[in-house]
């Protein structure tokens, strides 16, 4: 089955996705999927070829893709989406935590035109989840966004494996940067600013790390999980958020002396969402180090189920996106 | 906490027979007291204090009583003590300058007792980190306790980290 798709955002995730599509061509072919990328949009224009872009050439040329003859200066995704005969729109633009733009407009435009959506951009889902979901239902569209939370860790699609069970609450570490900082403070006894500097030098933290360390990133992710898995109707303003910047090495030491570690937890329980530093038992499965993510789902019939893995990275997100595309194809081809 | 008063024969192995049903049913034994001075007809009164998992308490206690009956151990008295629950919290900020005694007193008025307090400073004028081990009665839920702590911490500009 031929699947015409467009990619919006050729940053790290978008580029890794193109590489993964090339790598997985034989696998996709075996599944009966002919994935044709007919457009790649950037903020200042787009590569368009209605018969399919030459992905290997685009990968080879790297950042010079604007020199290709398929490049159309100033062509916007919003204007083009209705006219490209698309099956799937892949949204990988960077997150705007305040407005969700431009991703939210791209997503809504695609759905209005009966195009399925796969996204890695969190903003639209923690700001406007219900709007997206309602519109997708009205237009009989699939919207998948596994990459928005914990990257390729199947935190959202786990629901498909628990159809006869019920997730009651979620407790998680969803931000690798803050977990790295707390882990270093705990293992080395360094203070917050030194651990942050180290994280920035290693590329784990942005030059402006506030979204990570103040808990906003984790808050967005717990909103997404609670809406998707607990069927809540929340947005980021419903989360009680405290960051980790005021945690001291002395507090960590005091916790340690009683067998606890301090972790930045995101919790969805009893219709309440919180992101706060909490003490957990040092032997808890949630006590993970480095930049890892971990999610504990408390289920009605099977107690806790725990997923852990790398929560960020280009190929990790790309593999989640491609997985979403494959799963949409599987459902569509069964119909 | 449960205090069980029984009488067992003054023979080797009797104490183990008393302990088995308690540990088999998840009891965490805190203390055993033999009253050798009150020995009568070769039977010694024994007090055994233990704790059971709150959720399974009723069932576990019934099972213990049944097991003891089957072993012909006579129960003279069972006393269910006032349950105390524990929590460890850390407050960071000017915990002492914002009147730590007031903090403790306000908690005590709600039945929340500070059992242990440990503090760490960098400089005396700097913010302190204080760990409190608290006991709170069954009548207060953990959520209510946290709410109370949050009110105090907000008022005194302290950061609260709890377990």
């Amino acid at each position: 089955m031929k699947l015409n798709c467009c990619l919006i955002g050729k940053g790290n995730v978008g580029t890794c996705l193109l590489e993964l599509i090339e790598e997985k061509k034989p696998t996709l072919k075996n599944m009966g999927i002919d994935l044709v990328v007919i457009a790649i949009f950037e903020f200042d224009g787009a590569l368009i070829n209605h018969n399919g872009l030459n992905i290997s050439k685009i990968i080879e040329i790297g950042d010079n893709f604007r020199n290709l003859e398929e490049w159309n200066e100033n062509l916007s995704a919003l204007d083009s989406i209705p006219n490209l005969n698309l099956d799937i729109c892949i949204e990988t633009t960077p997150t705007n935590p305040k407005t969700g733009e431009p991703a939210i407009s791209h997503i809504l435009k695609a759905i209005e035109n009966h195009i399925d959506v796969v996204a890695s951009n969190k903003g639209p889902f923690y700001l406007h989840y219900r709007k997206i979901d309602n519109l997708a239902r009205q237009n009989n569209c699939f919207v998948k966004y596994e990459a928005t939370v914990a990257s390729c860790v199947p935190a959202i699609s786990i629901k498909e494996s628990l159809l006869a069970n019920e997730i009651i609450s979620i407790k998680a570490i969803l931000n690798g940067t803050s977990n790295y900082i707390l882990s270093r403070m705990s293992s080395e006894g360094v203070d917050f600013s030194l651990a942050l500097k180290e994280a920035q030098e290693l590329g784990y933290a942005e030059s402006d790390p506030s979204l990570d360390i103040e808990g906003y990133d984790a808050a967005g992710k717990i909103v997404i999980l609670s809406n998707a898995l607990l069927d809540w109707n929340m947005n980021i303003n419903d989360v009680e958020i405290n960051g980790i910047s005021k945690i001291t090495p002395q507090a960590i030491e005091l916790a340690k002396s009683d067998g606890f570690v301090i972790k930045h937890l995101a919790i969805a329980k009893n219709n309440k969402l919180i992101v706060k530093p909490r003490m957990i038992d040092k032997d808890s499965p949630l006590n993970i180090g480095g930049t890892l993510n971990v999610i504990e789902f408390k289920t009605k019939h099977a107690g806790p189920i725990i997923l852990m893995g790398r929560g960020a990275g280009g190929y990790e997100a790309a593999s989640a996106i491609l997985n979403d595309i494959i799963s949409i194809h599987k459902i569509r081809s069964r119909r | 906490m449960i205090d069980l008063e029984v009488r067992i024969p003054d023979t080797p192995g009797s104490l183990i027979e008393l302990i088995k049903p308690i540990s088999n049913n998840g009891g965490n034994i805190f203390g055993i007291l033999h009253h050798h001075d009150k020995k009568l007809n070769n039977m010694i009164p024994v007090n055994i204090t233990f704790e059971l998992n709150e959720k399974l308490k009723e069932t576990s206690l019934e099972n213990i009583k049944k097991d003891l009956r089957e072993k012909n151990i006579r129960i003279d008295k069972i006393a269910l003590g006032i349950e105390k629950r524990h929590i460890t919290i850390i407050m960071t900020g000017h915990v002492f300058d914002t009147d730590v005694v007031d903090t403790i007193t306000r908690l005590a008025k709600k039945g929340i007792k500070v059992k242990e307090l440990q503090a760490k400073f960098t400089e005396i004028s700097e913010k302190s980190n204080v760990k409190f081990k608290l006991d709170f009665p069954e009548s207060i839920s953990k959520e209510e306790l946290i709410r109370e702590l949050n009110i105090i911490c907000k008022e005194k500009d302290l950061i609260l980290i709890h377990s």
Side-chain angles (χ1 to χ4, degrees):
Chain A
M1 184 197 272
K2 193 176 167 190
L3 286 179
N4 280 343
C5 68
C6 76
L7 169 65
I8 310 176
K10 196 190 168 293
N12 183 32
V13 172
T15 304
C16 290
L17 177 65
L18 293 176
E19 289 178 23
L20 198 65
I21 289 171
E22 275 299 279
E23 183 195 317
K24 294 287 175 190
K25 241 180 188 168
T27 314
L28 293 170
K29 199 178 169 189
N30 284 340
M31 292 176 179
I33 304 171
D34 179 15
L35 195 60
V36 184
V37 182
I38 60 172
I40 299 174
F41 293 97
E42 257 300 327
F43 65 95
D44 55 348
L47 289 167
I48 306 268
N49 186 330
H50 291 275
N51 296 317
L53 291 161
N54 184 338
I55 300 301
S56 58
K57 194 173 176 189
I58 293 167
I59 293 167
E60 193 187 317
I61 204 166
D63 289 341
N64 297 320
F65 62 92
R66 289 178 178 85
N67 297 334
L68 291 168
E69 61 182 46
E70 287 109 329
W71 178 253
N72 297 269
E73 196 82 20
N74 297 325
L75 188 65
S76 80
L78 214 55
D79 293 336
S80 308
I81 285 169
N83 313 316
L84 289 171
N85 192 27
L86 293 166
D87 297 303
I88 295 181
C89 173
I90 305 162
E91 224 303 331
T92 67
T93 58
T95 297
N96 179 330
K98 294 217 165 71
T99 64
E101 292 291 4
I104 180 65
S105 294
H106 295 151
I107 290 169
L108 296 177
K109 179 65 82 177
I111 300 170
E112 281 163 10
N113 287 277
H114 306 282
I115 299 163
D116 294 331
V117 173
V118 175
S120 63
N121 188 319
K122 296 180 283 291
F125 297 92
Y126 61 64
L127 292 165
H128 307 289
Y129 173 75
R130 206 42 75 187
K131 193 174 178 182
I132 297 169
D133 191 50
N134 287 341
L135 195 65
R137 285 171 200 272
Q138 281 166 26
N139 288 278
N140 192 27
C141 280
F142 289 107
V143 178
K144 292 205 166 262
Y145 46 96
E146 184 68 69
T148 58
V149 181
S151 215
C152 62
V153 177
I156 296 170
S157 51
I158 193 172
K159 194 174 186 179
E160 301 305 313
S161 305
L162 296 171
L163 296 174
N165 204 329
E166 192 184 322
I167 298 171
I168 298 163
S169 63
I170 303 163
K171 201 187 277 183
I173 292 172
L174 295 171
N175 186 274
T177 307
S178 62
N179 196 54
Y180 178 84
I181 291 168
L182 288 177
S183 301
R184 292 296 290 168
M185 288 175 75
S186 185
S187 63
E188 303 299 322
V190 296
D191 68 14
F192 173 81
S193 54
L194 198 65
L196 170 62
K197 203 174 160 214
E198 192 183 283
Q200 285 171 323
E201 278 168 7
L202 290 165
Y204 297 151
E206 305 284 339
S207 52
D208 175 8
S210 52
L211 290 179
D212 295 323
I213 61 172
E214 294 308 336
Y216 201 82
D217 176 75
K221 290 169 178 172
I222 196 71
V223 167
I224 294 173
L225 289 181
S226 70
N227 289 339
L229 303 177
L230 305 173
D231 208 22
W232 292 0
N233 186 15
M234 298 285 192
N235 71 47
I236 196 144
N237 300 319
D238 298 313
V239 192
E240 217 179 291
I241 310 172
N242 283 157
I244 59 161
S245 57
K246 289 176 180 163
I247 302 292
T248 63
Q250 292 79 26
I252 286 176
E253 222 177 293
L254 283 170
K256 241 185 197 177
S257 65
D258 246 34
F260 292 111
V261 286
I262 297 176
K263 290 286 176 190
H264 205 193
L265 292 190
I267 301 171
K269 194 180 174 186
N270 300 333
N271 224 33
K272 268 176 75 179
L273 294 171
I274 64 161
V275 173
K276 285 186 175 184
R278 280 276 177 92
M279 278 191 281
I280 60 168
D281 197 288
K282 71 174 175 36
D283 297 322
S284 161
L286 294 176
N287 182 16
I288 50 152
T291 57
L292 289 170
N293 282 194
V294 62
I295 306 146
E296 182 187 270
F297 305 96
K298 194 175 173 202
T299 67
K300 189 173 178 183
H301 299 295
I305 293 174
I306 293 154
L307 292 178
M308 185 188 77
R310 293 206 293 259
Y315 290 106
E316 289 82 349
S319 72
I321 292 169
L322 192 53
N323 199 70
D324 279 347
I325 294 171
I326 295 167
S327 73
I328 288 176
H329 161 75
K330 281 187 170 175
I331 305 166
R332 288 260 179 242
S333 59
R334 276 201 300 265
R335 287 184 168 182
Chain B
M1 200 72 74
I2 296 157
D3 188 33
L4 191 67
E5 200 176 305
V6 296
R7 263 180 269 186
I8 56 172
D10 188 15
T11 51
S14 328
L15 187 60
I16 289 177
E17 289 307 307
L18 167 66
I19 290 168
K20 264 187 199 167
I22 297 170
S23 61
N24 287 348
N25 287 288
N28 184 18
I29 297 171
F30 284 84
I32 300 170
L33 202 60
H34 288 76
H35 300 284
H36 276 277
D37 53 324
K38 292 178 185 164
K39 183 172 157 185
L40 192 68
N41 300 330
N42 204 37
M43 298 293 277
I44 303 177
V46 174
N47 280 84
I48 182 159
T49 312
F50 60 96
E51 202 176 50
L52 288 168
N53 182 318
E54 200 53 40
K55 282 179 190 162
L56 304 168
K57 194 164 136 187
E58 226 168 282
T59 320
S60 303
L61 195 58
E62 280 312 306
N63 288 341
I64 290 168
K65 287 197 289 196
K66 182 172 158 270
D67 291 352
L68 290 175
R69 271 198 305 271
E70 280 169 11
K71 287 173 184 285
N72 291 321
I73 297 175
R74 197 176 116 186
I75 299 169
D76 285 340
K77 206 167 109 190
I78 298 178
L80 301 174
I82 298 163
E83 293 296 333
K84 288 277 183 190
R85 286 172 297 161
H86 323 282
I87 189 170
T88 302
I89 63 153
I90 293 173
M91 289 182 186
T92 297
H94 291 291
V95 183
F96 291 92
D97 290 348
T98 53
D99 198 350
V100 72
V101 177
D102 167 71
T103 303
I104 294 168
T105 312
R106 280 166 68 174
L107 292 173
K109 278 181 186 164
K110 301 269 176 183
I112 304 158
K113 285 187 182 160
V114 176
K115 299 297 286 183
E116 200 181 313
L117 184 147
Q118 193 185 350
K120 276 190 186 286
F121 305 85
T122 41
E123 296 283 336
I124 200 76
S125 57
E126 292 294 313
K127 289 178 179 176
S128 53
N129 302 273
V130 183
K131 179 169 71 185
F132 295 88
K133 288 191 180 179
L134 306 176
D135 273 1
F136 60 107
E138 244 184 1
S139 55
I140 299 175
S141 70
K142 190 182 170 189
E143 286 70 28
E144 284 169 326
L145 169 74
I146 300 300
R147 206 176 304 136
E148 191 60 33
L149 289 166
N150 272 327
I151 291 168
I152 295 171
C153 287
K154 198 173 174 189
E155 193 184 295
K156 300 187 174 188
D157 195 21
L158 307 173
I159 296 161
L160 173 71
I161 308 167
H162 60 84
S163 51

